[in-house]
Every structure is written in structure tokens, then in C-alpha cells.
Amino acid sequence: MKLLTHNMLTSHVKGVTKGYPLLIKATEVKVNEVEFNPQFVSRMIPKLEWSALVQAAEELGHRQDLPGELVADYETNEEFLKKVHRILLEVEVLEGCLQCPESGREFPISRGIPNMLLNEDEA
Amino acid sequence: MYSECRGTLGRSKEEKKVIRKQIKASHTLLKHEGISTTPHPTESVVVANGGLGNGVSREELLSVLTEAEEVESLFMPPHKPYAFVTYRSVESARRALTQLNGQKLQSEENSITLYLSYVNSVTFEEEKSVPLPEGLVLVEEFVSPDEEAVLLAAIDWLSSNEDVTAQKSLKHRRVKHYGFEFRYDNNNVDKDKPLRAGLPDECLPVLERCVKSGLISIMPDQLTVNQYESGQGIPPHVDTHSAFEETIISLSLGAKTVMEFRHPDGRLVPVVLPGRSLLVMRGESRYLWTHGITPRKFDMVPACSPHSPASDLGTNRNLTLSKRGTRTSFTFRKIRHEPCCCAFPSTCDSQGAASAFSPSPSSPPSLPCCHADATRLEEEYVHRVYNAIASHFSSTRHSPWPSVCHFLSLLPAGSVLADVGCGNGKYLGVNPELITVGCDRSNALVQICVERGFQAFVSDALSVPLRTASCDACISIAVIHHFSTPERRLAAVRELTRILRPKGQALIYVWAFEQEYNKQRSKYLKEQIKDEHLEDKWTNSKLSVHTNRTAFNTQDLLVPCHDTTKTSNTILKAKPENGQVPVFHRYYHVFQQGELEQLCGQVAGVRVCRSYHDQGNWCVILEKD
């Protein structure tokens, strides 16, 4: 699971109102090399919840020097875009779980796949 | 039925060449069956294409054979496309071969060519006669032809609740109840609501005869009349213990049929039920063995003289084919008012057994009436199947549909796309400018997506863990037709619209009931594949099993698929019988024209901006307000 995906995921346990962002408890993290496409990264940024991304990066210990707030004119800031590219697309959680911040319910991540299925009573 | 009298005598060189080639081909096939042919003349001959398994009856084959040479013995192994003939002498066999090789035989509407070869010996095992299940009694000629006519005339089919034309087009057997109605949704009887019509007076003489003969002691108060056309049947079942008292009697009128009794340990006993015979079920045969009639057009029955026992299907000697005709059964039962306390708790609903139906996967489910049933149905007939066949499924789904690709190509670069029910990720990489995420209910399929380098997670389409209004677009291709109630299908559409941002678009594809549209037959119909494995064609009033590559005749159905992967996790209980591959069934609700639009119309805040038919699917594009 890449952090781009994590940024979109939310807890959907019944009754939960503050299910986003999910906390990441990773036991195995991998960093891949992915081709850098500045336009692609630049288009992704407005779709993101920036603070959730920063929090996730922290939890994984991969925050490095990612700023807490979006920089202005990021479209042309290649250095910045490279940092975003790395954290969004190159860092991958292979094993661990995602935890609902409100209910504490844990969703397992196995072989890079989060299993978000709810039980009958949670749906 | 006639046979052309043209053997290899008087044939041209070309014709002889063709025949020789075909004979050689038949040798290869026979080898697979463990039959070795020999070029040296012997008294024993194998007749390829002259078998019970390919629709040739004993009478038809004998008629052709005896036109050439006298036959000493003829053995037709059941279900096989060949037969063995033994002649009086080697010379006789030689003459027969010369005359009969390449000879055509007209069997029903088919013209069959027979190919004869010598074999070294014909050995078959003398099978012992199989006893009837305990408690089963068959009384032949229980009613006279006149009485039969009176009983058949007593049934007024036109006053039944179902639409007769609908029944015929759905190819279901016709059913009518008297006394009390038997309900197929819970396999029980409404004991507090007797039907207006009691048992017809015409049945009284028959029932009195039963009492007099000591077959029953109490008069039945419930009658179910079933009428089966050729090709119709009833799935294997045990009559609900709690609904009826022990003894059940069934009178067969019209054409004969074969009823199969199955014991939980796997034993199968076929029983011929001649017309005008009475079947009495007690004890094990009533409480433990299932009984059913396989939907077929022909049964294998003993080629016997009228006086030998009709039930003697145990031996393989002298079998022939009997074409099915219309059969009407009158099943008389007595309503039970106390719980059942029989000696067979494993099949007893009063004593805790889950269902009176046999636990084998061969009993089809009914359409669910509640959420819990729907979940169970979909678990068994959607999720477990996809998980079991994931790799095979993925390998047959590699070409993205052009219209879906077109929709994806129109999305602006950088759009967030959710593929709900992404399967093997076929669409996740179509437009590389998009930010795509896929989700599917099948872990096995999601793994394939991830292996291919896509981002995907496991989730249910009814509850997608994506934030509201977080997607620019979403697609749901061939997904919603797996939900078994209208409420669930609606909930699926609602989830799609929830995750869309304002002005976002969703593309939905579902399988169409109408496979032909604008005189164009869909690809699904175009490819006619001969499916020899397909034996299971039961119909019941709720869910029928579909015959692949044909037009649909009901909206809710089970579609068979054969798992041909070498390493299949047979999660399903389907056990291969006779070496056949496991058949998995997937549940589908196929949509009628306009139905998908109507469904989407029930969702607030979204409108249908395009709807069309594409290769056997109904499609809509929705836009959120």
C-alpha cells in the first residue's frame, strides 16, 4: 500500500464520524524506485489531504524534510516534487495494519494489500 | 428410423479413403477409453459411434447390425459412445465389418456414421443387482388406463396461480397443490392455511385401494401434482420431515421416468417408475435418501421384456434408451402436526438439521428475501467462486472493453479514479494519466492487481472505505449484477455516487437479459461451445442454472463455469464425479432494458446522462449534481 492510496482510505465502521486518516502501524516497509514524472506528481497534490500525508510519513519514519504545509508554486519546484514523489509513490507498506482513529478497529495489510472488509455487525 | 444400406461395398476409392481415416481416428479415441483395436480379424468388434452415450438405442443399433450378420451378443456400456458386438465366427465378423463400416444410422434427428474395428476380447464385469433403498416399495399397474385418464382429466391446470405461458417459457415443471400449499421458499407447508380445494374426489378410489392394501393407514390430506415435460426434472431432496408424516405415496401417470435415490454416503440407486405405478416411501427412503429426477430427454432403462422387474437397473446388461414423455405425478402426503422424531437426525429439521435439502452443492438456492440470506447466497455463489477461480478468471479477461477505455480516456489527466469491483485490474492501467485505485471483494483477484503493479485493496462494494466526494470518477464494470436483491443493487449505486465529487461521473456496466439488441447478437451468444460436462440443468421456481452461450430465460440465475486450473483451491464442496472437473456456479441478476436506469433514478443527487447497450451489457453514465 502506497501512501497515495492511504491518503484516500478512511474508516467506514458503523457510527464512526472521525475515521480519517487511518493510523498506520507498519511492520514491513519497502522503498521502490519509480520513474519520476513531475507533471503527474504536480497534478496529484491538489487531490491530497496534505496533513494526513505528513502524519502518515511520520508514522513510517520516512518524513525526512517534508514540510508541514504545502509550499507555494510547488508546480515548478522540482526538488519539492521529488520529495512528494518519493513519499507518495516509492514508499510502500507491505505488512502491518491500518487503525481507525475513533474505534480502534484494525484493518490488516498483508503483502501490500489492505483488507478493509467489515464484519456483519460493523457495517 | 431407417438405415441406409451402404457399407464399403460399392464405394468409390475416395469414400473408402475417408472411411479409413475416420476409423483410424476412432482408434485414437478408443485407446483413451482403454480399448485396443487390432487389425487382425476376431469375433469381437467395437462399433464406434454406436453407443448409449451418443444417443443410439439398443433397438436402433440391432436393427442395423442384423441387416448384415447375425449377432451373438451385443453389449452397450452405459454413457459410452460405442458398443461391442460378438459374432458367431471370425468369418461372420469379417463380412459384417466389410458391409457395415461407414454405414449411416438415423437416430432421431441425427445421422450417425458407424465405424467398426476388431478387438481382442470383450470383458465386462457382471454387476450385482443393486437393492432398493430401505423402505421403498414400487407397485406396478396400480391403476388401470381408464383410471389414469380420469385422474389426469381431474387436474385443472388453467385455474392455477401461475401464468401458463410464463411457466412454459421458463421451462419449469408445472405444479399444483391441493389440501395445503407446499411453499418452495422454506420447503414447508402452511399448516394453518388449508387451501380451498381439498383433494379431488377422483383420487378417493386410489387412496382407498392404498389403505386396503395396507400401504398406508391414515388418509393423506395433501396432494402435490407435478407435471414434467421431457427435459424437466426436480433437484435431489428429502421431503421436509416436520411437514409430513412418514409415509409418502406417489402415483406416476403418463410416461415412465427414472428417479434417482442418493444416500449421504454417495450410493446412487436409479429406479424406473413406469406409468401407472405407485411408489411408496417409508423409513430410510423417505427420511434419509434424497430423491430427484435429472432433467433429461432420454433415460437409460433395461431393454427387457415386459415381465422383468422394472427396478432392475443394477446390471449393465442389455440397457437401452427410453425417450422421455410427459409424466404427471400425484404425491399424497399427510400433514404432520407434531415435531418429527425419526431415527435420522442428520436430515431432520425438527431435530436440528439446517435444511431438509441434501447438503451437496447440487441443491440450488432460492432468491433471498432478507439481507442475511443475500449475504450467504453471495458468499457461496460469488465470493467463494471468484477466490477459487481467480487465476483462470484473470487469464480469460485481458481485453478491456473499448467503450470503457473511451470513458477513461476522456477523463482529465490527474483525475482520481476508483474502480469498484476491479477484478484483475484490467482497467487500472488503461489511462496512465489517472490516479487510480481499485477495490474488489476477492482477495485473490486483488493480489493479481498488486502483482501487476497497481494499487488495490479488499473491500465490499456496499461499503467502500473511501471518503465522500473524494473521486473525480468511478467505474463499476460487471459488478452490480452479482447483488441478489434490489435493495443491495441500489445500495451499490448509492456508494458509487457517494464517493464522487460534485460533477464527477460514474460508469456502470451490468449483464443484460437481452443478449440480442438491434438484431446484433452479443459475443456471448455468438461463440457456441459444446459443453459435454453440463449435466446439471435443474429448474425450480426460484433460481435456475443457465446454459452457457444461450439466451437468458430468467433474470436471476446461476451461471456455471468449469475450473480448469491445475491447482484449484476447491473451496467449494463440489467434488468431481466420474473425473469431471468441478463446476462452479456464479449468481447473476441480469438486467432488463431500462432497469439499470430506473435503479439509478432512485438515487438522489445524481442523474443519468447516457445509457446504452454494449456487447450484451446495459450501461449508464451517471453524473453527480
Side-chain angles (χ1 to χ4, degrees), chain B residues 245-284:
Chain B
E245 295 289 350
E246 177 171 7
T247 310
I248 294 175
I249 52 179
S250 189
L251 185 65
S252 296
L253 303 174
K256 71 167 153 228
T257 193
V258 171
M259 177 170 279
E260 283 159 343
F261 283 81
R262 286 175 173 83
H263 190 277
D265 66 13
R267 274 177 288 158
L268 189 147
V269 178
V271 180
V272 179
L273 303 180
R276 297 185 287 112
S277 69
L278 185 80
L279 187 71
V280 185
M281 293 191 285
R282 265 202 213 99
E284 271 194 26

Side-chain angles (χ1 to χ4, degrees), chain B residues 295-306:
Chain B
R296 283 195 286 245
K297 298 205 167 147
F298 289 87
D299 288 308
M300 260 189 342
V301 300
C304 52
S305 60

Side-chain angles (χ1 to χ4, degrees), chain B residues 210-436:
Chain B
C210 291
V211 175
K212 258 205 174 131
S213 341
L215 296 167
I216 53 173
S217 44
I218 315 164
M219 282 296 271
D221 55 8
Q222 198 270 339
L223 164 66
T224 297
V225 182
N226 280 292
Q227 190 172 78
Y228 304 82
E229 303 290 339
S230 171
Q232 293 177 344
I234 183 169
H237 62 282
V238 175
D239 284 21
T240 307
H241 291 210
S242 67
F244 310 107
E245 295 289 350
E246 177 171 7
T247 310
I248 294 175
I249 52 179
S250 189
L251 185 65
S252 296
L253 303 174
K256 71 167 153 228
T257 193
V258 171
M259 177 170 279
E260 283 159 343
F261 283 81
R262 286 175 173 83
H263 190 277
D265 66 13
R267 274 177 288 158
L268 189 147
V269 178
V271 180
V272 179
L273 303 180
R276 297 185 287 112
S277 69
L278 185 80
L279 187 71
V280 185
M281 293 191 285
R282 265 202 213 99
E284 271 194 26
S285 69
R286 184 272 183 256
Y287 285 128
L288 183 65
W289 294 67
T290 66
H291 56 274
I293 296 174
T294 306
R296 283 195 286 245
K297 298 205 167 147
F298 289 87
D299 288 308
M300 260 189 342
V301 300
C304 52
S305 60
H307 300 296
S308 70
S311 55
D312 188 13
L313 276 180
T315 54
N316 276 341
R317 284 196 157 257
N318 297 358
L319 294 172
T320 187
L321 293 180
S322 165
K323 190 175 182 189
R324 288 242 186 121
T326 306
R327 170 182 175 265
T328 309
S329 70
F330 280 58
T331 303
F332 297 96
R333 299 178 278 208
K334 173 81 185 70
I335 300 293
R336 185 191 288 267
H337 296 284
E338 304 293 327
C340 177
C341 51
C342 65
F344 310 94
S346 64
T347 47
C348 183
D349 61 318
S350 294
Q351 298 179 62
S355 147
F357 268 59
S358 97
S360 80
S362 52
S363 46
S366 355
L367 207 60
C369 46
C370 67
H371 180 72
D373 280 351
T375 316
R376 267 192 290 272
L377 176 80
E378 290 159 21
E379 175 62 42
E380 178 81 21
Y381 292 99
V382 180
H383 309 311
R384 292 171 86 164
V385 180
Y386 277 115
N387 276 326
I389 67 171
S391 58
H392 170 70
F393 176 82
S394 176
S395 68
T396 60
R397 274 139 182 93
H398 40 73
S399 336
W401 285 332
S403 301
V404 179
C405 295
H406 180 69
F407 174 86
L408 296 173
S409 69
L410 293 177
L411 297 172
S415 297
V416 174
L417 171 80
D419 184 345
V420 181
C422 60
N424 65 347
K426 191 163 80 167
Y427 295 108
L428 297 178
V430 165
N431 184 342
E433 307 277 308
L434 306 176
I435 302 165
T436 50

Side-chain angles (χ1 to χ4, degrees), chain B residues 32-174:
Chain B
H32 286 148
E33 293 275 342
I35 299 163
S36 318
T37 56
T38 167
H40 303 293
T42 67
E43 291 148 342
S44 309
V45 167
V46 63
V47 183
N49 290 344
L52 294 171
N54 65 303
V56 178
S57 75
R58 191 180 179 85
E59 291 78 24
E60 286 166 338
L61 186 62
L62 270 174
S63 158
V64 173
L65 294 173
T66 50
E67 271 175 23
E69 290 286 316
E70 209 181 310
V71 165
E72 186 171 77
S73 76
L74 169 64
F75 172 50
M76 299 185 81
H79 309 295
K80 299 293 183 185
Y82 51 80
F84 297 104
V85 187
T86 320
Y87 291 96
R88 287 251 152 82
S89 65
V90 175
E91 264 310 304
S92 178
R94 278 174 109 154
R95 286 194 295 267
L97 224 82
T98 316
Q99 191 172 338
L100 295 172
N101 234 332
Q103 178 135 324
K104 289 204 201 306
L105 178 153
Q106 194 75 16
S107 169
E108 292 297 308
E109 312 96 51
N110 302 320
S111 177
I112 291 167
T113 311
L114 304 173
Y115 298 108
L116 283 72
S117 305
Y118 302 110
V119 289
N120 276 319
S121 60
V122 180
T123 47
F124 48 87
E125 278 169 29
E126 182 74 63
E127 279 184 31
K128 276 179 257 161
S129 189
V130 177
L132 291 179
E134 186 269 313
L136 192 69
V137 172
L138 181 71
V139 186
E140 294 189 51
E141 313 245 355
F142 196 75
V143 293
S144 69
D146 286 339
E147 289 171 324
E148 176 185 49
V150 166
L151 286 164
L152 288 172
I155 308 304
D156 179 10
W157 289 106
L158 292 173
S159 74
S160 66
N161 292 331
E162 283 101 2
D163 184 80
V164 175
T165 45
Q167 283 284 300
K168 283 219 139 69
S169 69
L170 291 176
K171 297 189 171 87
H172 295 163
R173 68 181 196 279
R174 289 206 289 192

Side-chain angles (χ1 to χ4, degrees), chain A residues 1-2 92-95 109-114, chain B residues 450 455-457:
Chain A
M1 181 202 69
K2 298 183 180 179
E92 208 178 340
V93 179
L94 292 180
E95 301 287 331
I109 302 174
S110 169
R111 293 162 74 167
I113 299 167
Chain B
V450 169
Q455 285 287 283
F457 55 91

Side-chain angles (χ1 to χ4, degrees), chain A:
Chain A
M1 181 202 69
K2 298 183 180 179
L3 291 190
L4 173 59
T5 306
H6 166 263
N7 204 261
M8 295 169 63
L9 286 171
T10 182
S11 166
H12 53 154
V13 175
K14 188 165 70 179
V16 162
T17 49
K18 294 200 179 73
Y20 181 88
L22 290 158
L23 308 167
I24 312 179
K25 294 182 182 175
T27 53
E28 198 184 320
V29 179
K30 194 168 74 150
V31 181
N32 308 302
E33 214 181 286
V34 178
E35 198 182 316
F36 175 58
N37 183 333
Q39 285 120 318
F40 189 62
V41 179
S42 154
R43 284 192 207 110
M44 268 196 276
I45 290 172
K47 313 277 181 179
L48 300 169
E49 270 291 321
W50 189 257
S51 52
L53 177 65
V54 174
Q55 185 182 324
E58 273 282 359
E59 282 171 335
L60 293 185
H62 279 267
R63 183 176 171 181
Q64 297 180 348
D65 49 357
L66 199 70
E69 303 236 334
L70 259 183
V71 306
D73 301 330
Y74 58 79
E75 300 100 322
T76 47
N77 188 332
E78 183 149 313
E79 261 220 44
F80 175 74
L81 289 177
K82 275 203 176 130
K83 289 179 191 166
V84 177
H85 165 84
R86 189 183 170 279
I87 197 65
L88 272 183
L89 302 175
E90 291 188 332
V91 175
E92 208 178 340
V93 179
L94 292 180
E95 301 287 331
C97 72
L98 296 170
Q99 189 178 41
C100 171
E102 189 177 315
S103 69
R105 205 301 198 177
E106 289 184 353
F107 298 94
I109 302 174
S110 169
R111 293 162 74 167
I113 299 167
N115 187 330
M116 308 300 294
L117 284 177
L118 293 170
N119 301 324
E120 287 267 323
D121 47 329
E122 295 172 307

